Each structure stands twice: as structure tokens, then as C-alpha cells.
Amino acid sequence: MKREAESELCAVAKRARPDPQLISEAFKPNLKRKAADICRNGTDGTGYIEGRVYERGFVSGGCWQFLITVELGSRVQASLSGSCSRYFDKLPIAVGAQVRISTRGLTLDNLDGPSRPLLLPKKFMWSEGATLYVKNPKTNEEYFVDTWAGVFGRQ
């Protein structure tokens, strides 16, 4: 059992890494946005948000909802659906995984129900498409997808 787990981790570690240039072009440091500002002012579709998965959430009806800790003391409820749903089984989204999502295609909606501590009052939703990078630090598994450009791959 232990050897199976070790060989599985080695197989993941030996996979090729995403092209760093592709990721750096998609997520330029000067385009990083604060989720709290987007929540207050909306978005123009440029830039991206970055954070760590706080709660893996669930997939239901072609929609995956999960929580991301974005800035110190702030969390966002993220929702992926539509053209993003075909990649759900490939995304290494787990608690602690690093996530970057472009604001292109982002729509905001008010959260339903009682407010939760630290949770921003808007749901961040991507249904038409997304540019998304996920890295699971426990397994070193990475996945990059840009539904707008048709680029994807498990790394």
C-alpha cells in the first residue's frame, strides 16, 4: 500500500511542468487584482485574482463551487460552469491548492443566505470561459487551462 502511494507520487512529480512563459503571459504580476476591489467596483475583464483553496466545495449540475482565500482575511465563493465543466475531472483543486483565475468572463452575483465570516458578499462566477491555473502543493500536480484560446493540459 505504501509503495503504491510512493510510486503514484513519483509519477505525478515526473510529469512535465507547464510552460512558465505561458503562465507568466496569462498572469502578469502587474495585472493582479484585489477581490475586494472587484467586489466593490466590478471588473473590466482584465487581470486576475489569486489565492488558495479554503474549501473544495462540490460539483452539482455542471457547476463547481468552492472557496478561495484571496487576501488576508478575505474569501471568495468561486463558481465554474459552462465551458469550464469539461475540465472538472482534471483540475487538482484541493484544500491549500494555489489558484489563479483571470477576470475575463467573470460575472458577479449577490450571495444567497446568511453571510459567513470573512466571505466577500459577491459570488465570482465563470460560465462562458476562464483562464485558470491550479497547483496542488501536496502532489505538485499542476493544470493550466485557457478556454478562450483552447489551451489546456495536465502537468
Side-chain angles (χ1 to χ4, degrees), residues 2-93:
K2 186 176 178 182
R3 289 182 190 206
E4 286 178 29
E6 287 175 359
S7 65
E8 211 173 282
L9 283 174
C10 288
V12 169
K14 289 180 183 177
R15 291 182 181 149
R17 299 286 175 233
D19 181 359
Q21 184 176 357
L22 188 64
I23 293 170
S24 66
E25 286 175 16
F27 303 106
K28 295 177 181 171
N30 64 325
L31 293 178
K32 185 176 176 183
R33 305 287 185 246
K34 290 187 175 188
D37 291 343
I38 292 172
C39 195
R40 265 190 307 277
N41 307 323
T43 180
D44 61 1
T46 62
Y48 66 96
I49 62 169
E50 178 177 41
R52 296 212 176 260
V53 175
Y54 174 76
E55 187 178 288
R56 189 177 185 277
F58 58 91
V59 176
S60 175
C63 179
W64 191 347
Q65 296 186 43
F66 54 98
L67 296 179
I68 305 170
T69 301
V70 284
E71 287 103 31
L72 187 61
S74 296
R75 294 191 183 116
V76 165
Q77 181 174 337
S79 174
L80 300 174
S81 62
S83 64
C84 303
S85 64
R86 73 179 78 146
Y87 302 101
F88 287 171
D89 61 335
K90 298 169 182 67
L91 295 172
I93 292 180

